[in-house]
């Protein structure tokens, strides 16, 4: 069998081995600390678009999302108007959901109105301590921190930011490490040079 990353002999979180895109995402991105307003706005937006869909759909469409949404630079997206909404609704490369498109544009405007950078705000919800899960069954859908994050983001005018979406974001950008114990990416298993 070819070494496509999926079958390289390393133990991964169960969700990561079904598709090469999942394996790359798991090994190279998921759970690694992310900083920067644009990077965090992209992740937050994509998690919102993922709501109700499989993450593989978003991964496969991510290049098109980046092109359609001006690289997720909040200042650019905040200037989108009704013509941009119609353009996006006609773009087969992305998820064409009017509510999610409108929320992304509105969220960009809300991000610009924050009194603290988006990444600093999101990182303020990182738990003081977090026990990585032993198995996938131990991974929660929400936590008190994700509930608090969702409440604060909504208070600040952001949409499509429920507690489950916020927890998925926390996992994706490294606010928590939810690689299962036997996964090669889990903190106790990871080689020191892996990051």
């Amino acid at each position: 069998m070819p070494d496509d990353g999926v079958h390289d002999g390393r133990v991964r979180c169960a969700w990561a081995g079904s598709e090469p895109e999942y394996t790359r995402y798991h090994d190279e991105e998921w759970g690694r600390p992310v900083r920067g307003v644009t990077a965090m706005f992209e992740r937050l937006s994509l998690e919102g678009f993922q709501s109700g869909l499989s993450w593989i759909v978003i991964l496969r469409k991510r290049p098109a999302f980046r092109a359609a949404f001006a690289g997720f630079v909040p200042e650019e997206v905040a200037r989108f108007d009704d013509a941009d909404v119609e353009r996006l609704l006609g773009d087969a490369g992305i998820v064409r959901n009017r509510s999610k498109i409108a929320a992304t544009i509105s969220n960009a405007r809300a991000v610009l109105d924050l009194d603290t950078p988006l990444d600093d705000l999101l990182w303020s919800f990182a738990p003081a301590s977090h026990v990585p899960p032993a198995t996938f069954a131990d991974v929660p859908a929400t936590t008190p921190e994700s509930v608090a994050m969702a409440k604060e983001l909504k208070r600040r005018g952001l949409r499509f930011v429920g507690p489950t979406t916020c927890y998925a974001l926390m996992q994706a950008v490294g606010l928590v490490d939810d690689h299962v114990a036997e996964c090669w990416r889990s903190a106790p298993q990871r080689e020191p040079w892996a990051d």
Side-chain angles (χ1 to χ4, degrees):
M1 185 170 293
D3 181 3
D4 57 4
V6 175
H7 304 98
D8 62 5
R10 290 193 261 188
V11 177
R12 293 179 171 83
C13 298
W15 61 267
S18 60
E19 299 286 344
E21 294 97 329
Y22 271 154
T23 303
R24 280 190 299 278
Y25 177 68
H26 171 273
D27 289 1
E28 299 170 11
E29 293 184 58
W30 192 73
R32 293 188 184 212
V34 172
R35 288 286 186 170
V37 171
T38 299
M40 281 295 209
F41 179 61
E42 175 184 337
R43 298 329 190 276
L44 181 66
S45 299
L46 293 178
E47 291 293 347
F49 272 102
Q50 185 272 332
S51 181
L53 302 171
S54 170
W55 183 243
I56 195 71
V57 171
I58 304 303
L59 279 180
R60 289 177 175 158
K61 291 179 177 280
R62 187 163 57 167
F65 270 112
R66 287 174 172 164
F69 282 94
F72 288 99
V73 175
E75 293 82 359
E76 297 292 325
V77 178
R79 287 196 285 268
F80 283 14
D81 58 17
D82 290 343
D84 289 297
V85 171
E86 294 308 314
R87 170 183 59 83
L88 293 165
L89 287 170
D91 187 340
I94 67 168
V95 174
R96 296 177 289 181
N97 177 297
R98 185 178 293 275
S99 296
K100 293 177 181 181
I101 289 168
T104 302
I105 296 167
S106 174
N107 287 352
R109 295 171 184 154
V111 165
L112 296 182
D113 287 340
L114 293 174
D115 57 359
T116 187
L118 177 64
D119 56 334
D120 289 347
L121 175 62
L122 296 176
W123 273 95
S124 74
F125 291 95
S129 64
H130 180 75
V131 178
T135 69
F136 186 70
D138 298 320
V139 177
T142 65
T143 62
E145 293 85 2
S146 76
V147 171
M149 178 190 284
K151 183 177 179 181
E152 181 62 14
L153 291 175
K154 288 177 183 177
R155 186 185 75 78
R156 291 172 178 255
L158 281 84
R159 301 184 315 200
F160 274 91
V161 288
T164 302
T165 296
C166 285
Y167 193 67
L169 175 70
M170 292 173 75
Q171 294 172 304
V173 300
L175 273 71
V176 295
D177 179 359
D178 271 350
H179 289 282
V180 297
E182 65 181 6
C183 175
W184 80 272
R185 286 290 307 151
S186 72
Q189 301 294 326
R190 187 164 59 226
E191 299 95 341
W193 58 87
D195 289 322

